[in-house]
Amino acid sequence: MKLTERKITTELRKHGYKLTPQRQAVIDTIVASQDLLTPARVYEKVSREHPDIGLVTVYRTLELLSRLGLICELHSGGTCPTYTASNPEHHHHLICSGCGKVVDFTGHNLAPLENRLARESGFRIQNHVLEFIGVCSACQETK
Amino acid sequence: MKLTERKITTELRKHGYKLTPQRQAVIDTIVASQDLLTPARVYEKVSREHPDIGLVTVYRTLELLSRLGLICELHSGGTCPTYTASNPEHHHHLICSGCGKVVDFTGHNLAPLENRLARESGFRIQNHVLEFIGVCSACQETK
DNA sequence: CTGCTAATTGATAATCGTTTTCAGTTGGAC
DNA sequence: GTCCAACTGAAAACGATTATCAATTAGCAG
């Protein structure tokens, strides 16, 4: 279940943070997107509607939302972190360490493990990353 | 099964790469370590024995070994990638998006999934990352 | 062993993403 | 409306990584 914009703004208020137009814009963008977004990509999308928002503010907002657990920060292979609203439609990655090719896959249910971990650790778990790293068939042939 | 230094040097030769003392040193360091190492950490360790090796060379060697599939590059939460010899003793992480605390856990067997993926994709799978992201109990209480 | 050549190296500079600093602005409680 | 802490954007600082380039060297041919 994706977080709604409403839920997020309520959470912000509850923790004493102000609800600025800039934050609204970043939240809208994250919630509306199906993809994992890098900070630069969020900035690009936000800028279309709000040209005078600063990249710095995007970084700050992402950091805040992530800290409050309203969005998730993931590190999937590339050099930049990516963000997504909590509990998105989920898929996993198979990454080639040779050429960087990424293949998506689905169909593995981690819910039982997630429940066990939540119970044992006290964490409120929002998301997970499952990546396999290997060498794709093309790269196995290359010298 | 960890890769031996011998196996790695043989692979290098096979692909037409030269076996320099600098590469030897980096390989030794990676193979000898149980931990995930950042490039900076590899450089630090290598420098003890070989003070005149350059950080740039460490980066290049890590990139080469990773491309050949002899070591794995992982992205576990932090800002830097980390490297490890293929198929190390493996554990997984539970990461708090609030404070960054990392809790290790073990006991989930991904081998069946790994086999299925290798069969379906043609990848030679070397490693995997399984991370759960959430908010730890302490951060759930903080505003 | 000697010489050759392409691969490799280290130092420097450039680049990229991110964070800090700071002076000016603003949301929202009163 | 007034006020103040929270927030903002621009610029500078920062750390990790990559590109450039002249000098060195591994490994092969003779």
Short mmCIF file of all heavy atoms in Angstrom, two decimals, chain A residues 17-18 20 22-23 52-54 56-57 60, chain D residues 4-12 17-18:
data_model
loop_
_atom_site.label_atom_id
_atom_site.label_comp_id
_atom_site.label_asym_id
_atom_site.label_seq_id
_atom_site.Cartn_x
_atom_site.Cartn_y
_atom_site.Cartn_z
N TYR A 17 7.23 19.51 11.87
CA TYR A 17 7.88 20.09 10.71
C TYR A 17 6.88 20.92 9.92
O TYR A 17 5.69 20.64 9.90
CB TYR A 17 8.47 18.99 9.82
CG TYR A 17 9.62 18.28 10.49
CD1 TYR A 17 9.44 17.01 11.02
CD2 TYR A 17 10.87 18.88 10.60
CE1 TYR A 17 10.49 16.35 11.65
CE2 TYR A 17 11.92 18.23 11.22
CZ TYR A 17 11.72 16.96 11.75
OH TYR A 17 12.76 16.32 12.37
N LYS A 18 7.40 21.95 9.28
CA LYS A 18 6.53 22.82 8.50
C LYS A 18 6.22 22.20 7.14
O LYS A 18 7.02 21.45 6.59
CB LYS A 18 7.20 24.18 8.31
CG LYS A 18 7.31 24.95 9.62
CD LYS A 18 7.98 26.28 9.40
CE LYS A 18 8.07 27.03 10.73
NZ LYS A 18 8.81 28.29 10.58
N THR A 20 5.96 23.18 3.68
CA THR A 20 6.24 24.24 2.70
C THR A 20 5.85 23.77 1.31
O THR A 20 5.75 22.58 1.06
CB THR A 20 7.74 24.58 2.71
OG1 THR A 20 8.46 23.43 2.27
CG2 THR A 20 8.20 24.96 4.10
N GLN A 22 7.65 23.74 -1.24
CA GLN A 22 8.75 22.94 -1.78
C GLN A 22 8.63 21.49 -1.34
O GLN A 22 8.80 20.57 -2.14
CB GLN A 22 10.10 23.50 -1.31
CG GLN A 22 10.46 24.85 -1.89
CD GLN A 22 9.99 26.02 -1.01
OE1 GLN A 22 9.05 25.86 -0.23
NE2 GLN A 22 10.63 27.16 -1.15
N ARG A 23 8.34 21.29 -0.06
CA ARG A 23 8.19 19.92 0.42
C ARG A 23 7.01 19.23 -0.23
O ARG A 23 7.09 18.06 -0.61
CB ARG A 23 8.05 19.91 1.95
CG ARG A 23 9.37 20.11 2.64
CD ARG A 23 9.24 20.13 4.15
NE ARG A 23 10.55 20.37 4.75
CZ ARG A 23 10.75 20.69 6.02
NH1 ARG A 23 9.71 20.82 6.83
NH2 ARG A 23 11.97 20.89 6.48
N ASP A 52 11.95 27.31 -9.50
CA ASP A 52 12.89 27.97 -8.60
C ASP A 52 13.17 27.19 -7.32
O ASP A 52 13.68 27.73 -6.35
CB ASP A 52 12.43 29.40 -8.30
CG ASP A 52 10.92 29.49 -8.19
OD1 ASP A 52 10.26 28.44 -8.38
OD2 ASP A 52 10.40 30.59 -7.93
N ILE A 53 12.87 25.91 -7.34
CA ILE A 53 13.24 25.10 -6.19
C ILE A 53 14.71 24.71 -6.33
O ILE A 53 15.21 24.55 -7.44
CB ILE A 53 12.35 23.84 -6.10
CG1 ILE A 53 12.35 23.30 -4.68
CG2 ILE A 53 12.81 22.79 -7.09
CD1 ILE A 53 11.34 22.19 -4.49
N GLY A 54 15.42 24.60 -5.20
CA GLY A 54 16.85 24.30 -5.25
C GLY A 54 17.12 22.82 -5.09
O GLY A 54 16.37 22.11 -4.42
N VAL A 56 19.42 21.59 -3.41
CA VAL A 56 19.72 21.39 -2.00
C VAL A 56 18.45 21.06 -1.21
O VAL A 56 18.46 20.20 -0.33
CB VAL A 56 20.38 22.64 -1.41
CG1 VAL A 56 20.83 22.38 0.01
CG2 VAL A 56 21.55 23.06 -2.27
N THR A 57 17.39 21.74 -1.53
CA THR A 57 16.12 21.50 -0.83
C THR A 57 15.59 20.11 -1.12
O THR A 57 15.03 19.45 -0.24
CB THR A 57 15.09 22.57 -1.25
OG1 THR A 57 15.59 23.84 -0.86
CG2 THR A 57 13.75 22.33 -0.58
N ARG A 60 17.51 17.84 1.07
CA ARG A 60 17.08 17.98 2.47
C ARG A 60 15.73 17.31 2.70
O ARG A 60 15.50 16.67 3.72
CB ARG A 60 17.04 19.45 2.86
CG ARG A 60 18.42 19.97 3.23
CD ARG A 60 18.35 21.37 3.82
NE ARG A 60 18.06 22.37 2.80
CZ ARG A 60 18.77 23.48 2.64
NH1 ARG A 60 19.80 23.74 3.40
NH2 ARG A 60 18.44 24.34 1.71
P DC D 4 10.76 37.37 18.77
OP1 DC D 4 10.99 37.54 20.22
OP2 DC D 4 11.44 38.24 17.79
"O5'" DC D 4 11.07 35.86 18.40
"C5'" DC D 4 10.28 34.82 18.97
"C4'" DC D 4 10.53 33.55 18.18
"O4'" DC D 4 9.85 33.61 16.91
"C3'" DC D 4 12.01 33.30 17.86
"O3'" DC D 4 12.25 31.92 18.00
"C2'" DC D 4 12.12 33.74 16.41
"C1'" DC D 4 10.76 33.30 15.88
N1 DC D 4 10.29 34.00 14.65
C2 DC D 4 9.39 33.34 13.79
O2 DC D 4 9.02 32.20 14.07
N3 DC D 4 8.97 33.98 12.68
C4 DC D 4 9.39 35.21 12.41
N4 DC D 4 8.92 35.79 11.30
C5 DC D 4 10.29 35.91 13.26
C6 DC D 4 10.71 35.27 14.37
P DA D 5 13.70 31.38 18.41
OP1 DA D 5 13.90 31.50 19.87
OP2 DA D 5 14.66 32.01 17.49
"O5'" DA D 5 13.57 29.83 18.06
"C5'" DA D 5 12.33 29.15 18.30
"C4'" DA D 5 11.93 28.37 17.08
"O4'" DA D 5 11.60 29.29 16.00
"C3'" DA D 5 13.03 27.45 16.54
"O3'" DA D 5 12.44 26.20 16.20
"C2'" DA D 5 13.56 28.20 15.32
"C1'" DA D 5 12.34 28.97 14.84
N9 DA D 5 12.66 30.24 14.17
C8 DA D 5 13.64 31.13 14.52
N7 DA D 5 13.69 32.18 13.73
C5 DA D 5 12.68 31.98 12.82
C6 DA D 5 12.22 32.73 11.73
N6 DA D 5 12.74 33.91 11.37
N1 DA D 5 11.19 32.23 11.01
C2 DA D 5 10.67 31.06 11.38
N3 DA D 5 11.00 30.25 12.38
C4 DA D 5 12.04 30.78 13.07
P DA D 6 13.29 25.06 15.58
OP1 DA D 6 12.87 23.80 16.23
OP2 DA D 6 14.70 25.47 15.56
"O5'" DA D 6 12.76 25.05 14.08
"C5'" DA D 6 11.36 24.99 13.84
"C4'" DA D 6 11.08 25.18 12.37
"O4'" DA D 6 11.44 26.52 11.97
"C3'" DA D 6 11.88 24.23 11.47
"O3'" DA D 6 10.98 23.73 10.50
"C2'" DA D 6 12.96 25.12 10.87
"C1'" DA D 6 12.26 26.47 10.82
N9 DA D 6 13.15 27.63 10.90
C8 DA D 6 14.15 27.85 11.80
N7 DA D 6 14.77 29.00 11.65
C5 DA D 6 14.11 29.59 10.57
C6 DA D 6 14.28 30.83 9.91
N6 DA D 6 15.19 31.73 10.25
N1 DA D 6 13.45 31.09 8.88
C2 DA D 6 12.53 30.19 8.54
N3 DA D 6 12.27 29.00 9.09
C4 DA D 6 13.11 28.76 10.11
P DC D 7 11.49 22.71 9.42
OP1 DC D 7 10.31 21.91 9.06
OP2 DC D 7 12.73 22.08 9.89
"O5'" DC D 7 11.84 23.65 8.18
"C5'" DC D 7 10.81 24.43 7.61
"C4'" DC D 7 11.39 25.35 6.57
"O4'" DC D 7 12.29 26.27 7.21
"C3'" DC D 7 12.22 24.65 5.49
"O3'" DC D 7 11.47 24.65 4.28
"C2'" DC D 7 13.49 25.51 5.37
"C1'" DC D 7 13.17 26.74 6.21
N1 DC D 7 14.32 27.37 6.90
C2 DC D 7 14.77 28.62 6.47
O2 DC D 7 14.21 29.16 5.51
N3 DC D 7 15.82 29.22 7.11
C4 DC D 7 16.39 28.60 8.14
N4 DC D 7 17.41 29.23 8.74
C5 DC D 7 15.95 27.33 8.59
C6 DC D 7 14.93 26.75 7.96
P DT D 8 12.11 23.99 2.99
OP1 DT D 8 10.98 23.61 2.12
OP2 DT D 8 13.09 22.98 3.42
"O5'" DT D 8 12.89 25.19 2.31
"C5'" DT D 8 12.15 26.27 1.75
"C4'" DT D 8 13.09 27.31 1.21
"O4'" DT D 8 13.89 27.80 2.30
"C3'" DT D 8 14.09 26.77 0.20
"O3'" DT D 8 13.63 27.04 -1.11
"C2'" DT D 8 15.39 27.55 0.49
"C1'" DT D 8 15.12 28.28 1.79
N1 DT D 8 16.12 28.06 2.89
C2 DT D 8 17.01 29.07 3.17
O2 DT D 8 17.03 30.12 2.56
N3 DT D 8 17.87 28.78 4.20
C4 DT D 8 17.92 27.64 4.96
O4 DT D 8 18.74 27.50 5.86
C5 DT D 8 16.96 26.62 4.59
C7 DT D 8 16.94 25.33 5.34
C6 DT D 8 16.13 26.88 3.59
P DG D 9 14.37 26.42 -2.33
OP1 DG D 9 13.43 26.46 -3.48
OP2 DG D 9 14.97 25.15 -1.92
"O5'" DG D 9 15.53 27.46 -2.59
"C5'" DG D 9 15.22 28.79 -2.97
"C4'" DG D 9 16.51 29.56 -3.23
"O4'" DG D 9 17.29 29.61 -2.01
"C3'" DG D 9 17.41 28.93 -4.28
"O3'" DG D 9 17.92 29.97 -5.12
"C2'" DG D 9 18.51 28.24 -3.49
"C1'" DG D 9 18.57 29.05 -2.20
N9 DG D 9 18.85 28.26 -0.99
C8 DG D 9 18.38 27.00 -0.71
N7 DG D 9 18.78 26.55 0.46
C5 DG D 9 19.57 27.58 0.96
C6 DG D 9 20.28 27.67 2.19
O6 DG D 9 20.36 26.84 3.10
N1 DG D 9 20.95 28.88 2.31
C2 DG D 9 20.94 29.88 1.37
N2 DG D 9 21.64 30.97 1.66
N3 DG D 9 20.28 29.80 0.22
C4 DG D 9 19.62 28.63 0.08
P DA D 10 18.87 29.69 -6.30
OP1 DA D 10 18.47 30.61 -7.38
OP2 DA D 10 18.91 28.24 -6.53
"O5'" DA D 10 20.30 30.15 -5.74
"C5'" DA D 10 20.41 31.45 -5.15
"C4'" DA D 10 21.86 31.72 -4.81
"O4'" DA D 10 22.17 31.09 -3.54
"C3'" DA D 10 22.87 31.17 -5.81
"O3'" DA D 10 23.90 32.14 -5.98
"C2'" DA D 10 23.37 29.89 -5.17
"C1'" DA D 10 23.25 30.18 -3.68
N9 DA D 10 22.92 29.02 -2.87
C8 DA D 10 22.12 27.96 -3.21
N7 DA D 10 22.00 27.05 -2.27
C5 DA D 10 22.77 27.57 -1.23
C6 DA D 10 23.04 27.08 0.07
N6 DA D 10 22.55 25.94 0.55
N1 DA D 10 23.84 27.83 0.86
C2 DA D 10 24.32 28.98 0.38
N3 DA D 10 24.14 29.54 -0.81
C4 DA D 10 23.34 28.77 -1.57
P DA D 11 25.20 31.78 -6.86
OP1 DA D 11 25.59 33.04 -7.52
OP2 DA D 11 24.91 30.57 -7.67
"O5'" DA D 11 26.29 31.41 -5.77
"C5'" DA D 11 26.39 32.21 -4.59
"C4'" DA D 11 27.50 31.68 -3.73
"O4'" DA D 11 27.00 30.57 -2.94
"C3'" DA D 11 28.69 31.14 -4.53
"O3'" DA D 11 29.89 31.59 -3.93
"C2'" DA D 11 28.52 29.63 -4.46
"C1'" DA D 11 27.84 29.45 -3.11
N9 DA D 11 27.00 28.26 -3.03
C8 DA D 11 26.21 27.72 -4.01
N7 DA D 11 25.57 26.64 -3.64
C5 DA D 11 25.96 26.46 -2.32
C6 DA D 11 25.63 25.49 -1.36
N6 DA D 11 24.79 24.48 -1.60
N1 DA D 11 26.19 25.60 -0.14
C2 DA D 11 27.04 26.62 0.10
N3 DA D 11 27.43 27.59 -0.72
C4 DA D 11 26.84 27.45 -1.93
P DA D 12 31.32 31.05 -4.47
OP1 DA D 12 32.19 32.23 -4.54
OP2 DA D 12 31.09 30.20 -5.66
"O5'" DA D 12 31.83 30.12 -3.28
"C5'" DA D 12 31.57 30.50 -1.93
"C4'" DA D 12 31.93 29.35 -1.02
"O4'" DA D 12 30.90 28.35 -1.10
"C3'" DA D 12 33.25 28.67 -1.39
"O3'" DA D 12 34.01 28.47 -0.22
"C2'" DA D 12 32.79 27.36 -2.06
"C1'" DA D 12 31.49 27.08 -1.31
N9 DA D 12 30.52 26.25 -2.03
C8 DA D 12 30.13 26.35 -3.34
N7 DA D 12 29.23 25.46 -3.70
C5 DA D 12 29.03 24.72 -2.55
C6 DA D 12 28.19 23.62 -2.27
N6 DA D 12 27.38 23.06 -3.16
N1 DA D 12 28.23 23.12 -1.01
C2 DA D 12 29.04 23.68 -0.12
N3 DA D 12 29.87 24.72 -0.25
C4 DA D 12 29.82 25.19 -1.51
P DT D 17 34.50 5.48 -3.83
OP1 DT D 17 33.47 4.44 -3.93
OP2 DT D 17 35.82 5.19 -3.22
"O5'" DT D 17 34.73 6.06 -5.29
"C5'" DT D 17 33.60 6.43 -6.06
"C4'" DT D 17 34.04 7.11 -7.33
"O4'" DT D 17 34.85 8.25 -7.03
"C3'" DT D 17 34.88 6.23 -8.27
"O3'" DT D 17 34.12 6.03 -9.44
"C2'" DT D 17 36.16 7.04 -8.51
"C1'" DT D 17 35.73 8.45 -8.11
N1 DT D 17 36.80 9.36 -7.65
C2 DT D 17 37.07 10.47 -8.40
O2 DT D 17 36.49 10.74 -9.44
N3 DT D 17 38.07 11.28 -7.90
C4 DT D 17 38.80 11.10 -6.74
O4 DT D 17 39.66 11.89 -6.40
C5 DT D 17 38.46 9.90 -6.00
C7 DT D 17 39.17 9.59 -4.73
C6 DT D 17 37.48 9.10 -6.47
P DT D 18 34.74 5.26 -10.67
OP1 DT D 18 33.60 4.68 -11.41
OP2 DT D 18 35.84 4.41 -10.21
"O5'" DT D 18 35.35 6.43 -11.56
"C5'" DT D 18 34.50 7.48 -11.98
"C4'" DT D 18 35.24 8.37 -12.95
"O4'" DT D 18 36.22 9.15 -12.24
"C3'" DT D 18 35.98 7.62 -14.06
"O3'" DT D 18 35.65 8.26 -15.28
"C2'" DT D 18 37.46 7.78 -13.68
"C1'" DT D 18 37.45 9.09 -12.91
N1 DT D 18 38.49 9.29 -11.86
C2 DT D 18 39.22 10.46 -11.86
O2 DT D 18 39.08 11.33 -12.70
N3 DT D 18 40.12 10.58 -10.84
C4 DT D 18 40.35 9.67 -9.83
O4 DT D 18 41.18 9.90 -8.96
C5 DT D 18 39.56 8.47 -9.89
C7 DT D 18 39.75 7.42 -8.83
C6 DT D 18 38.67 8.34 -10.88
#
